Amino acid sequence: MQKDPNQKGTFSSKKDEQLEQFRVEHEGAKLTTNQGLPVSEDEHSLKAGERGPTLMEDFHFREKMTHFDHERIPERVVHARGFGAHGYFQVYEPMAEYTKAKFLQDPSVKTPVFVRFSTVAGSRGSADSVRDVRGFATKFYTEEGVYDLVGNNIPIFFIQDAIKFPDLVHSFKPEPHNEMPQASTAHDTFWDFVANNTESAHMIMWNMSDRAIPRSYRMMEGFGVHTFRFINEQGKARFVKFHWKPVLGVHSFVWDEAHELAGRDPDFHRRDLWEAIEMGDYPEFELGVQIIEEEGEFKFDFDILDPTKIWPEEMVPVKLIGKMTLNRNQDNVFAETEQAAFHPGHVVPGIDFSNDPLLQGRLFSYTDTQLIRLGGPNFHQIPINRSVSPVRNHQRDGYHQMNIDKGKVSYHKNGLRGNHPHPVPEEQGGYAHYQEKVEGRKVRQRSDSFEDHYSQAKLFWNSMTDVEKQHIVEAFHFELGKVQDKNIRQQVVNVFANVDELLAARIAAGIGAEVPKDIKASTVTLSSPAVSQEQNKIKSAATRKVGILAADGYDDSTIEPIMQAFKQAGVHAEVISGHLGMITSVNGEQQEVKHSFLTAESVLFDALYVACGEKSVEQLKKNNKAVEFLKDAFKHFKTIGAAGKGAELLITAGIQAGSDPGIVINKDKSDWDTFGTSFINAIAEHRHWERQVQ
Ligand code: HDE
């Protein structure tokens, strides 16, 4: 991870300048009404007598209350819970061979971006850590207009045709009769949908995998999902799929931890993103493209228009073409995250669509949803949505019109204003749709090439390590275990028997279902190691958080050197103790306590460390919460370190201080270099699966 502290706040873009016009400072300001009238009193409504009724005349009270009554707008139907950040994108080298998109040509140009990460199923106040797909929507403010790459952290989707989207969403949302469960697919209607719509099989495999419980928005991939087109200056088109690769690698929670976090810190992901940016650990994602020549369209045993299929990276390599850095937190979540309006149809010259029937339907849906959510057709004028290139056309009026369009002409063609604003020919930058030849009967049908629902589900299963397979099976057990209708459970096992016999047997064993007879499981033996998190793990401890357990009487010589080692590795450490304030070491030094055992939980940290000190360790041993901290970290396969007597706390927690994997002890309290290196290397492993009981 490259860090440049000088960068913070110094990237000032055209978008920043534009936003500056709308930022409102309140420091030193006088209180006014919305009409600018200074207000003399804001504690009491206007009454007829001290104990009398409130008067209608009180315009200040009515204005204040009316505005409050209208503070909320409808949340997004899907992806309601999200969080955004600003940053910039830079291309590595000119992409002219493939696309004429201007923001993909000049490596010295920093294109401003705003990214909104989200969950899909839960409502706006739901927990961050739930098992779900994550949205990864990026708005590029290019010189040619706004380009939105509205993707997810899983490269495929549940359905093949947009017409099924309302059905899918109705099935995974809380059940309508009792509005349960919140933000979870672990219920009857969703799995009934899966059992009856087998095109979802591949997506379900990803959804049951650790991809659906990312450790951080900073540590997940992003995918455009659909097949798009790149068009170059010569008009040559190629099929393209977009990828975001996080520089920190892809990492996940363990399922039990995700559950605990939903209660302990429902804001975990937004806090993690916010704090990382505040601390200068700017999240970075490389943009990758997979490219298939137009002539190669039918070269594969899957249809490249089918959004339930990946293009295995081993067949079509991902070319990394640039990097996005998120380096500024938003000023106001409502104004920016909540009012951001993304749309896969916001494109720039050089980027075009394919006939993927899911994408085609999305091109309609996103404007439509903004009309109701943002209250009219002028949502593009909201600061976060504004293009940095000028917007000039003959559209007028509508709710919340912010422009004062001058002159009497608002039509094309016109003679009164020399036909301005006028269309721009393609050669001069006007957008012209790719002239794909299309022919066919009007049919409500899907191509036969979309019929194979199981081969890539099997490919995914084949690509998983044993630990990843175990997690998938456990996720099926949990989700289907929550399904009340036993027939649905059985039907789902029957569906996955088409993928893999052993998978079906393992699912069935945990949910009281039968393995169906006459299994005709997919015979695919290929795997795609690129889809496995474990096989592509980036081992880095940078930006991770370690909790240091200590109490009064700690041995400072076992905290200072490890803090130094953490600092060098970009690891953040925070002291946790029985009370807030300061703790004092045996020698009278002091450490500030960041969290008490009441305000923090083990799940909030990537690793734990127990300092030495007779008195300190004795106190911690008597504190159940401190012992629970260690047990939880151990259960969640995290690294635990200790110095000297600190190791005794591990033994109290039932941890084999000498032999358990991921447990690093500095018994003699010496050679901090070696200890620091092994501790940090152990954190960089992320999890110690050797502890997993199969
Ligand atoms: Fe969306 N989707 N979607 N979606 N989607 C929305 O738009 C829709 C799909 C995605 O942070 C909505 O503004 C249809 C795939 C993200 O604001 C809505 C179909 C992918 C976000 C909508 C899909 C996505 C949305 C809800 C099937 C990954 C959040 C509010 C044809 C490539 C964007 C809104 C943000 C949001 C419709 C399928 C990604 C209703 C009809 C596939 C990241 O318009």
Side-chain angles (χ1 to χ4, degrees):
M1 171 112 166
Q2 288 173 359
K3 245 198 269 180
D4 178 1
N6 299 324
Q7 256 180 1
K8 193 169 182 182
T10 59
F11 169 61
S12 140
S13 65
K14 225 175 179 175
K15 185 65 197 172
D16 243 3
E17 283 164 28
Q18 192 188 54
L19 287 175
E20 189 52 35
Q21 303 163 35
F22 298 96
R23 290 195 186 110
V24 179
E25 292 293 350
H26 292 271
E27 240 78 355
K30 289 184 183 136
L31 187 72
T32 70
T33 66
N34 285 340
Q35 303 307 317
L37 174 75
V39 168
S40 62
E41 213 280 337
D42 197 29
E43 294 275 317
H44 307 281
S45 48
L46 190 69
K47 296 184 213 69
E50 280 167 12
R51 302 180 62 248
T54 305
L55 298 176
M56 273 291 276
E57 185 188 320
D58 190 353
F59 56 82
H60 170 50
F61 165 79
R62 278 188 284 117
E63 181 199 81
K64 183 175 173 182
M65 193 55 79
T66 306
H67 198 278
F68 169 76
D69 291 344
H70 296 254
E71 270 178 8
R72 292 290 171 273
I73 60 172
E75 64 175 34
R76 290 165 175 81
V77 189
V78 284
H79 297 265
R81 174 144 183 101
F83 204 66
H86 292 271
Y88 60 88
F89 172 81
Q90 270 179 299
V91 73
Y92 290 147
E93 54 185 52
M95 290 297 291
E97 183 185 348
Y98 303 104
T99 174
K100 59 185 173 187
K102 285 224 173 71
F103 80 104
L104 295 177
Q105 305 308 332
D106 184 350
S108 71
V109 169
K110 287 181 170 180
T111 300
V113 298
F114 180 74
V115 175
R116 182 176 180 273
F117 299 107
S118 50
T119 54
V120 180
S123 57
R124 202 180 150 206
S126 58
D128 280 345
S129 62
V130 297
R131 176 176 296 281
D132 198 356
V133 182
R134 298 300 186 286
F136 189 140
T138 309
K139 201 176 265 302
F140 297 80
Y141 303 96
T142 88
E143 293 298 321
E144 296 177 292
V146 170
Y147 168 54
D148 287 346
L149 180 52
V150 197
N152 281 341
N153 77 327
I154 291 181
I156 50 165
F157 204 60
F158 297 92
I159 48 170
Q160 294 171 322
D161 191 310
I163 200 166
K164 291 169 73 80
F165 191 63
D167 303 304
L168 164 72
V169 175
H170 289 169
S171 81
F172 68 59
K173 281 281 181 182
E175 296 187 6
H177 61 304
N178 59 11
E179 268 215 350
M180 291 194 272
Q182 177 60 240
S184 168
T185 50
H187 59 107
D188 286 36
T189 55
F190 176 69
W191 287 97
D192 185 35
F193 182 90
V194 172
N196 288 290
N197 297 273
T198 54
E199 68 205 68
S200 61
H202 185 199
M203 181 73 175
I204 295 302
M205 296 297 295
W206 284 78
N207 224 24
M208 294 302 104
S209 81
D210 294 343
R211 297 274 178 161
I213 40 173
R215 152 68 178 79
S216 160
Y217 289 141
R218 305 177 288 128
M219 299 170 198
M220 60 184 205
E221 286 181 283
F223 302 93
V225 174
H226 310 283
T227 297
F228 290 87
R229 275 191 171 92
F230 263 167
I231 317 285
N232 69 13
E233 202 66 66
Q234 293 72 42
K236 183 166 172 49
R238 292 177 177 89
F239 294 110
V240 61
K241 269 194 195 282
F242 295 105
H243 296 242
W244 287 116
K245 302 252 182 206
V247 170
L248 290 172
V250 182
H251 303 283
S252 292
F253 296 132
V254 294
W255 191 208
D256 180 72
E257 184 187 19
H259 276 305
E260 253 197 69
L261 273 170
R264 300 292 184 194
D265 187 3
D267 302 315
F268 185 85
H269 280 149
R270 61 172 60 183
R271 192 185 313 284
D272 169 271
L273 182 65
W274 176 275
E275 286 182 351
I277 293 175
E278 287 301 298
M279 288 189 290
D281 288 338
Y282 301 135
E284 293 175 313
F285 299 87
E286 290 189 285
L287 181 66
V289 289
Q290 286 178 294
I291 293 175
I292 293 180
E293 299 290 332
E294 288 267 303
E295 306 78 57
E297 182 171 1
F298 301 107
K299 234 174 58 184
F300 301 90
D301 61 357
F302 51 85
D303 194 325
I304 65 164
L305 300 185
D306 177 353
T308 67
K309 302 294 185 295
I310 56 165
W311 299 354
E313 291 184 31
E314 293 76 10
M315 286 182 196
V316 188
V318 176
K319 180 180 165 63
L320 297 174
I321 66 166
K323 193 166 73 180
M324 172 167 76
T325 307
L326 300 179
N327 67 346
R328 188 165 72 72
N329 277 316
Q330 58 205 318
D331 291 301
N332 184 296
V333 177
F334 179 84
E336 299 176 81
T337 288
E338 195 59 8
Q339 294 199 111
F342 293 90
H343 189 334
H346 292 166
V347 287
V348 289
I351 298 178
D352 212 308
F353 312 109
S354 75
N355 293 333
D356 169 348
L358 198 67
L359 172 60
Q360 293 283 319
R362 290 180 76 201
L363 296 178
F364 162 74
S365 174
Y366 286 69
T367 312
D368 190 36
T369 207
Q370 309 309 346
L371 292 175
I372 176 105
R373 214 170 64 74
L374 298 170
N378 291 314
F379 57 84
H380 60 282
Q381 296 181 2
I382 296 172
I384 195 67
N385 298 324
R386 279 182 182 246
S387 154
V388 294
S389 60
V391 175
R392 296 283 182 276
N393 55 42
H394 302 293
Q395 296 169 31
R396 293 290 182 273
D397 310 344
Y399 283 113
H400 319 303
Q401 176 60 256
M402 300 291 153
N403 294 344
I404 303 175
D405 289 299
K406 297 205 300 197
K408 60 183 172 184
V409 175
S410 55
Y411 51 88
H412 172 78
K413 298 170 182 174
N414 69 71
L416 283 178
R417 201 165 45 199
N419 200 25
H420 290 123
H422 59 86
V424 182
E426 191 181 353
E427 311 77 60
Q428 290 167 29
Y431 189 90
H433 290 260
Y434 175 62
Q435 294 189 7
E436 181 180 5
K437 187 164 181 247
V438 184
E439 230 174 20
R441 291 175 188 281
K442 290 183 192 168
V443 289
R444 284 195 187 276
Q445 274 173 21
R446 223 169 284 180
S447 161
D448 291 348
S449 54
F450 279 49
E451 256 173 26
D452 173 9
H453 298 165
Y454 303 119
S455 296
Q456 285 210 350
K458 179 67 185 284
L459 177 91
F460 184 76
W461 178 247
N462 291 346
S463 315
M464 297 289 103
T465 60
D466 286 347
V467 169
E468 288 172 312
K469 283 185 174 167
Q470 175 74 15
H471 292 175
I472 291 172
V473 170
E474 285 166 5
F476 269 109
H477 287 171
F478 177 87
E479 294 264 321
L480 289 168
K482 297 278 180 184
V483 167
Q484 303 299 311
D485 187 321
K486 292 190 182 123
N487 287 331
I488 296 176
R489 292 187 202 166
Q490 184 60 54
Q491 285 168 40
V492 173
V493 173
N494 298 351
V495 169
F496 285 89
N498 294 303
V499 177
D500 184 87
E501 191 171 343
L502 196 58
L503 167 66
R506 287 173 73 179
I507 300 174
I511 55 166
E514 304 276 305
V515 184
K517 296 192 178 63
D518 309 326
I519 289 185
K520 289 198 191 69
S522 161
T523 53
V524 169
T525 52
L526 266 181
S527 67
S528 168
V531 302
S532 158
Q533 278 181 230
E534 280 300 307
Q535 293 178 65
N536 297 284
K537 185 156 71 179
I538 290 182
K539 295 185 183 177
S540 163
T543 83
R544 296 309 182 103
K545 225 191 220 184
V546 181
I548 298 186
L549 273 54
D552 285 322
Y554 69 92
D555 175 350
D556 198 52
S557 73
T558 65
I559 289 195
E560 282 308 321
I562 195 68
M563 289 275 213
Q564 279 306 323
F566 288 156
K567 208 170 167 190
Q568 270 172 19
V571 172
H572 304 290
E574 292 171 350
V575 175
I576 311 159
S577 195
H579 59 81
L580 295 182
M582 304 301 267
I583 49 171
T584 309
S585 77
V586 263
N587 299 326
E589 293 102 346
Q590 292 207 309
Q591 280 284 346
E592 177 155 16
V593 177
K594 178 89 196 255
H595 311 275
S596 77
F597 289 114
L598 266 184
T599 60
E601 289 297 331
S602 182
V603 284
L604 304 179
F605 299 91
D606 294 293
L608 295 179
Y609 172 73
V610 190
C612 183
E614 173 95 37
K615 207 175 132 208
S616 166
V617 174
E618 284 313 315
Q619 283 179 66
L620 293 174
K621 279 206 264 185
K622 282 187 224 138
N623 186 331
N624 272 345
K625 276 288 295 249
V627 176
E628 286 303 317
F629 251 69
L630 291 187
K631 284 186 180 167
D632 263 7
F634 187 78
K635 182 170 71 171
H636 298 145
F637 311 99
K638 292 175 182 171
T639 300
I640 303 173
K645 270 191 95 56
E648 289 180 18
L649 189 65
L650 276 63
I651 294 164
T652 313
I655 299 164
Q656 304 304 311
S659 54
D660 276 328
I663 308 301
V664 197
I665 308 291
N666 191 352
K667 209 167 151 199
D668 318 326
K669 303 187 280 175
S670 61
D671 194 1
W672 286 97
D673 283 347
T674 314
F675 175 68
T677 308
S678 359
F679 194 14
I680 284 155
N681 287 346
I683 299 171
E685 282 294 323
H686 188 57
R687 306 281 176 178
H688 301 279
W689 299 125
E690 308 92 299
R691 295 186 205 146
Q692 178 125 332
V693 184
Q694 297 287 330

